[in-house]
Amino acid sequence: MGKKSIMRMLLTLSISQICYIFIVIVIFGAGTLFLTETGIILSPQVISESVENITGKAVNGVLEAKDIPAYIEYAQLSNDGNYITGTIQDKELIEEVYKEGQVTHLQFMNGTKYECVNGLSEKWILGYKSGTSQFSNDFLRNVFPSADLTVVLSFFVTVVIGFFIILKWHRNQLRKELNKIISIRETILNDDEQISGVSSTLKEINDILIVLNEMEKAVKDSTKKQLKQAQLLEDGIQALTHDIQTPATVVSGNLELLEETEITGKQKEYLNDAQDGIKRISEYVEELKNLVKMEHLKTDYISLGEEYVNELISLANQIASLKIYLL
C-alpha cells in the first residue's frame, strides 16, 4: 500500500468535514420533521390554524378559556372593555390592542401578534407567535421561546463541536507521525540504541525518516570509529609511557651507582645533568599519563610548544654527551 501525502491528508480532512455537515443536516432535518409531525414543535401554520379556530368560536360566542391552548396568550374583556380574566396582565397592552384592533411586537425570530376578536357578548384579545415555531411543552417553550432559533443554534453548535473533534483527530495523527522524527533526533543526540524500521504513513514524513535513519547509522558508525581510534591511541600512549619509564628507571639506577664512585668535577657536572634529565623524563611521563586519563575520549591534536621541544632536545644532547664521555 502506497504512502499518502500530507495534501491527501488535508483533502481527507475536508471531505470528512463535508460529509459530517451532510450527515448533521440529514439528522437535524429528519429530527425536526419528526418533532413537528408528533406535535412537539408547533409550526407557524399550525399556530395560525389554531388561532382561526379559536377566533371562530369567539365570534360565535362559544369560546371558553379552557379552549385556548397554553401557547396562545389571551385576555377576556366585557363589551365595554373591562378586564375579566386571562393570561395577559399588561393593562397598557390590553388598552392598545382594544383601541387599535391589532398590534405586533417585533423581536428577532420571536415576534408576537396581538389582535382583538369581537364576540357576541364579550371581546377576546389573543396573542401568538406569528413568524416562528414553538414547543408545545410549557417548560421548553419558557426556556426556548423560539423553536426555530433553538434548532438553528443547536445545528451550528453540533457542527462546530464535530469540526473540532475531526480536526483534533487528524492533528493527533499528524503529531504521531511527527513524533517519529523527534524520536530519531533524540536517539542521535543521546547516542541511544539504533531504532530500525521506523516508517510513516505520510510520504513527506517517511522521506525525512529515511534520511534520518541513514544519518543515524552514519553518526553511530562514525562514533564507534572515533571510540576505536581513541582506544588505540590510549593503548599506544600507555605502551609508549611504559617503554620510556622502564629504561629511564634503569638509567636512574645506574646514575645513582655511578654517583657512589670516584669521579672528577666535570663528570659530576655531567652526572647531575643526566639525573636532572631523567627526573624531567619521569615528570613528562606522568603528565602524559594524566593527560590520557583526562582526554580519554578526545582525539584533538596536542601542541607541545617550542619550549617543551627545546627541553627535549637539550635533554637528548646531554644523554648523548654523557654516553660518549663514558665510552
Side-chain angles (χ1 to χ4, degrees):
M1 186 175 179
K3 304 292 183 180
K4 62 181 180 180
S5 63
I6 295 179
M7 184 61 67
R8 182 180 173 185
M9 182 179 183
L10 295 177
L11 180 61
T12 303
L13 171 61
S14 301
I15 294 176
S16 300
Q17 291 175 336
I18 293 174
C19 292
Y20 175 74
I21 291 178
F22 177 77
I23 294 173
V24 172
I25 291 175
V26 171
I27 293 176
F28 268 80
T32 303
L33 180 61
F34 172 78
L35 294 176
T36 302
E37 292 294 329
T38 55
I40 297 176
I41 292 180
L42 303 172
S43 66
Q45 181 180 356
V46 173
I47 296 175
S48 298
E49 292 175 355
S50 180
V51 171
E52 291 178 3
N53 183 41
I54 294 172
T55 301
K57 289 183 177 182
V59 172
N60 295 325
V62 295
L63 178 63
E64 297 181 4
K66 63 180 182 179
D67 298 329
I68 302 176
Y71 55 85
I72 297 178
E73 300 178 87
Y74 74 94
Q76 184 182 10
L77 309 176
S78 62
N79 279 331
D80 55 2
N82 293 325
Y83 184 83
I84 299 176
T85 186
T87 58
I88 301 177
Q89 304 294 330
D90 191 341
K91 293 183 179 180
E92 294 182 358
L93 175 62
I94 294 174
E95 291 177 0
E96 182 183 4
V97 177
Y98 181 79
K99 292 179 181 179
E100 300 294 335
Q102 190 178 81
V103 174
T104 301
H105 287 182
L106 297 177
Q107 296 178 352
F108 177 70
M109 295 185 68
N110 196 23
T112 303
K113 184 177 181 179
Y114 297 92
E115 59 181 30
C116 183
V117 180
N118 296 320
L120 295 178
S121 61
E122 56 192 1
K123 297 180 182 295
W124 294 86
I125 294 178
L126 304 177
Y128 56 94
K129 308 294 182 182
S130 59
T132 183
S133 300
Q134 285 186 283
F135 290 103
S136 59
N137 181 270
D138 294 341
F139 174 77
L140 293 177
R141 187 172 58 256
N142 292 330
V143 176
F144 308 104
S146 173
D148 293 336
L149 182 60
T150 302
V151 171
V152 171
L153 291 178
S154 300
F155 172 80
F156 280 107
V157 169
T158 303
V159 169
V160 170
I161 293 176
F163 273 15
F164 177 78
I165 293 174
I166 294 173
L167 183 62
K168 185 176 182 180
W169 186 85
H170 282 81
R171 184 191 65 179
N172 290 339
Q173 293 299 312
L174 182 58
R175 179 180 294 176
K176 181 180 178 181
E177 301 302 323
L178 292 175
N179 284 338
K180 295 178 181 179
I181 297 178
I182 298 175
S183 65
I184 293 183
R185 181 184 68 86
E186 293 178 349
T187 300
I188 295 175
L189 295 177
N190 298 332
D191 196 26
D192 295 334
E193 294 183 2
Q194 183 174 349
I195 301 178
S196 59
V198 178
S199 62
S200 172
T201 57
L202 298 177
K203 181 179 181 302
E204 293 83 354
I205 295 181
N206 192 67
D207 293 340
I208 296 175
L209 290 175
I210 292 175
V211 174
L212 288 177
N213 276 315
E214 294 176 352
M215 183 184 299
E216 179 190 15
K217 185 177 182 302
V219 169
K220 292 186 181 300
D221 290 343
S222 176
T223 302
K224 290 180 180 179
K225 184 177 180 180
Q226 291 180 1
L227 290 175
K228 184 177 180 179
Q229 291 176 346
Q231 186 63 46
L232 291 175
L233 178 61
E234 179 184 358
D235 294 341
I237 293 177
Q238 288 179 350
L240 177 62
T241 54
H242 179 269
D243 292 342
I244 294 175
Q245 187 68 47
T246 300
T249 303
V250 175
V251 172
S252 178
N254 291 333
L255 290 177
E256 291 178 358
L257 293 175
L258 184 61
E259 188 177 12
E260 296 177 358
T261 62
E262 294 182 1
I263 55 177
T264 63
K266 193 64 175 178
Q267 291 174 336
K268 181 66 174 178
E269 181 180 348
Y270 291 149
L271 181 60
N272 291 336
D273 290 340
Q275 290 176 334
D276 184 59
I278 292 298
K279 181 180 179 182
R280 279 186 288 173
I281 288 176
S282 298
E283 292 175 355
Y284 295 150
V285 169
E286 291 300 323
E287 291 181 2
L288 195 56
K289 289 180 179 179
N290 294 332
L291 185 62
V292 171
K293 293 179 182 178
M294 291 187 296
E295 305 292 332
H296 182 70
L297 296 179
K298 284 190 175 182
T299 57
D300 298 338
Y301 291 101
I302 301 173
S303 178
L304 297 178
E306 184 178 356
E307 182 180 354
Y308 184 80
V309 173
N310 290 334
E311 290 183 359
L312 289 178
I313 294 174
S314 175
L315 178 62
N317 290 331
Q318 292 176 9
I319 294 175
S321 298
L322 177 61
K323 184 175 181 181
I324 294 173
Y325 179 80
L326 294 174
L327 291 176

